Amino acid sequence: MRTLKMGALGLGQGASWSLLSMDAMPEIELVAGADLNPAMRSGFSDHFPAARTYETAEELFRDPAVDAIWIGTPNRLHCEHAVAAMRSGKHVVVEKPMAVTLEDADRMVEASQKFGVILLAGHTRSLSIWNRAMRRIVMSGEIGAIRAIHIWSYTDWILRPRTPDELDPQQGGGIVFRQGPHQIDTLRLLGGGMLRSVRGMAGRWTDSRPIEGYYTAYLEFEDGTASTIMHNGYGYFAMASLYPWVREKRGYSDADRAALRRDLERGVRDESAEKERYRVGGAHDPVAGAKAQPVTPYPWNPFDLGPVEVACERGMLMPAQWGLTVYGDDGPRELDLRPLQRPEPDPSGGLSIAILEEFHAAVILGKPAYHTAAWGRATLEASLAVMQSAAERREITLTRQVAMPDAYDAALDSGLNVAAG
Ligand SMILES: NC(=O)c1ccc[n+]([C@@H]2O[C@H](COP(=O)([O-])OP(=O)(O)OC[C@H]3O[C@@H](n4cnc5c(N)ncnc54)[C@H](O)[C@@H]3O)[C@@H](O)[C@H]2O)c1
């Protein structure tokens, strides 16, 4: 099988985990990386000595051996980098949020069509095996038609180190831009994709962080399916503490959170140095640690997404430690998802493997792409609508929604023992 030769643009915190996934997948070859920061470049070449290292995006895009680019640069640059990469003939996976404005997302959709390349919107957390299995069970009709989806999360998102652009909503800063797309992409996957309207609220609750750290929204699908999302990132309570098997491997302790909150209020944190530790080559860079080994099985963990609850006419779906609990007319049944897990170097959150598998299948094997530019634009439209609705205190009607084809993940059905209905 021909491998997909990838270059990574932006070797920061998010990319550190995706690089591990690329490195672990035989169908992907990580051939190059680029970052403006020399520390990241040096970490990258230490970890991947066979790959080429560049300073700028332009040099990376000129590399003829690179088929495709993983864009992990800051949000404000996603559109510019994606369009330039596509103009150079490269296929693209872009980190979430796909862009900062709908106009930029339009340019990305157009560029993908004009240059005849694939752009996938990498909303990685929506693609966990738990969410994908839930979707196939919903589609099987086992517990009737889907009626409601709820995804609520409590994390310490606001306490994590931030660069100045992450503190500027104009540049894609704030929890709605950063975390909204994960939850919205998940519920769109489960509900079929076609949202009708959004009523949202977002909150900035502390002067020490001039960005939103909370949002909630009611999103209704065209067929009347209801959904709610909520993310409280202020760090007073962690959703993960509700689940006895979950250890927060990368999270802060209660004492850490109290100290970070005090330091933020006093303005004494060196966030630039803190963040650098998590980037490629930094002290907490996962690429360097024992965590680099792909593992399976790994248990469910709410991480930043939160638990996904699906209500159907004749039952419920809830995540469980090793799979799902399907509550139906005859009582609950446990569904073990371990046999469907692929060894993943990043069970703790990034979950890049599913999008990379789709990418390889589309670019190299000519299979359909599902998380396309138009799909990503629809998730961005709903994320922006949460902010617009919050500002204007009214319901926003959506116009750019697209459906997820039934064929997506049909191959999972035999493993789940369901027949698509
Ligand atoms: N999917 C996930 O779970 C996940 C997790 C974390 C971050 N992310 C996403 O990754 C992106 C980056 O976030 P981060 O937290 O990793 O930030 P970061 O600051 O750690 O990483 C960005 C990197 O891009 C580099 N960079 C900036 N401008 C550049 C340019 N013009 N050319 C080349 N390199 C450039 C920076 O030097 C830095 O190393 C964001 O879009 C974020 O939403 C996704």
Side-chain angles (χ1 to χ4, degrees):
M1 182 187 3
R2 188 158 95 73
T3 57
L4 178 61
K5 296 187 172 48
M6 298 236 9
L9 176 63
L11 305 171
Q13 186 172 1
S16 63
W17 289 97
S18 311
L19 294 175
L20 285 177
S21 297
M22 292 178 213
D23 194 44
M25 296 174 72
E27 63 266 54
I28 306 277
E29 209 179 322
L30 179 60
V31 296
D35 199 296
L36 293 179
N37 187 325
M40 270 83 263
R41 293 203 298 278
S42 132
F44 180 80
S45 52
D46 285 350
H47 297 319
F48 307 106
R52 289 175 293 286
T53 307
Y54 300 113
E55 182 175 350
T56 66
E58 294 70 31
E59 292 169 273
L60 177 65
F61 300 160
R62 275 200 299 271
D63 185 332
V66 171
D67 298 321
I69 311 281
W70 181 282
I71 296 182
T73 47
N75 296 346
R76 71 180 187 285
L77 299 171
H78 287 178
C79 173
E80 173 189 329
H81 283 151
V83 170
M86 290 188 279
R87 191 178 298 119
S88 307
K90 311 296 187 195
H91 304 276
V92 164
V93 176
V94 61
E95 270 285 3
K96 52 79 204 171
M98 174 178 168
V100 175
T101 66
L102 261 187
E103 293 69 34
D104 280 354
D106 286 341
R107 288 178 55 212
M108 294 158 84
V109 171
E110 282 159 20
S112 165
Q113 289 160 355
K114 179 172 169 191
F115 300 118
V117 290
I118 290 165
L119 180 147
L120 291 190
H123 297 98
T124 49
R125 286 179 205 272
S126 68
L127 300 185
S128 77
I129 195 71
W130 282 268
N131 295 337
R132 292 162 57 202
M134 275 190 179
R135 173 170 178 275
R136 294 312 299 184
I137 291 167
V138 166
M139 290 180 64
S140 77
E142 176 184 340
I143 52 173
I146 189 166
R147 289 291 176 243
I149 308 162
H150 303 287
I151 315 177
W152 290 20
S153 186
Y154 292 89
T155 68
D156 51 23
W157 187 89
I158 206 89
L159 300 176
R160 301 174 196 168
R162 300 285 164 204
T163 50
D165 61 291
E166 291 179 79
L167 300 173
D168 176 5
Q170 299 301 319
Q171 300 187 53
I175 197 166
V176 189
F177 266 124
R178 285 292 283 256
Q179 292 295 321
H182 282 308
Q183 291 188 334
I184 291 170
D185 209 67
T186 302
L187 65 87
R188 289 190 58 241
L189 192 66
L190 290 162
M194 300 298 294
L195 287 170
R196 192 192 78 85
S197 69
V198 176
R199 178 68 179 93
M201 176 274 190
R204 284 180 202 192
W205 294 347
T206 168
D207 291 340
S208 61
R209 277 293 196 220
I211 45 169
E212 282 78 15
Y214 174 92
Y215 63 80
T216 187
Y218 172 72
L219 304 96
E220 195 176 275
F221 284 85
E222 279 190 350
D223 68 358
T225 300
S227 65
T228 60
I229 54 173
M230 187 284 290
H231 196 142
N232 180 338
Y234 283 100
Y236 293 98
F237 168 72
M239 199 69 145
S241 63
L242 295 180
Y243 303 95
W245 65 85
V246 171
R247 293 201 323 267
E248 284 186 89
K249 289 184 197 149
R250 284 189 293 167
Y252 298 124
S253 67
D254 288 343
D256 291 339
R257 288 177 184 154
L260 287 168
R261 196 171 290 115
R262 274 196 304 274
D263 286 353
L264 268 183
E265 273 159 20
R266 291 183 0 237
V268 296
R269 277 178 79 178
D270 181 354
E271 296 192 53
S272 159
E274 272 181 63
K275 179 131 188 167
E276 192 124 330
R277 280 183 219 129
Y278 294 95
R279 297 193 177 118
V280 175
H284 300 307
D285 168 11
V287 184
K291 291 181 220 163
Q293 296 310 315
V295 295
T296 188
Y298 48 90
W300 177 82
N301 186 321
F303 291 111
D304 287 345
L305 183 71
V308 178
E309 304 164 8
V310 176
C312 294
E313 278 175 338
R314 290 185 290 101
M316 288 274 305
L317 294 173
M318 301 279 274
Q321 181 173 8
W322 296 111
L324 301 175
T325 309
V326 185
Y327 297 86
D329 285 331
D330 299 327
R333 92 176 157 90
E334 297 301 323
L335 188 62
D336 189 346
L337 295 178
R338 279 174 285 189
L340 298 181
Q341 288 181 349
R342 179 168 172 171
E344 165 68 86
D346 182 12
S348 50
L351 301 162
S352 311
I353 279 198
I355 197 83
L356 286 165
E357 275 179 343
E358 183 179 330
F359 200 39
H360 174 268
V363 174
I364 301 293
L365 306 178
K367 301 253 174 80
Y370 294 103
H371 292 86
T372 57
W375 172 267
R377 176 174 61 185
T379 291
L380 179 70
E381 181 191 30
S383 309
L384 292 169
V386 173
M387 289 180 258
Q388 187 187 351
S389 173
E392 299 175 7
R393 301 183 73 174
R394 67 181 181 91
E395 186 180 8
I396 307 295
T397 302
L398 305 178
T399 59
R400 313 289 189 92
Q401 297 299 294
V402 293
M404 178 55 70
D406 288 0
Y408 173 61
D409 258 349
L412 276 186
D413 288 354
S414 57
L416 290 168
N417 214 10
V418 300

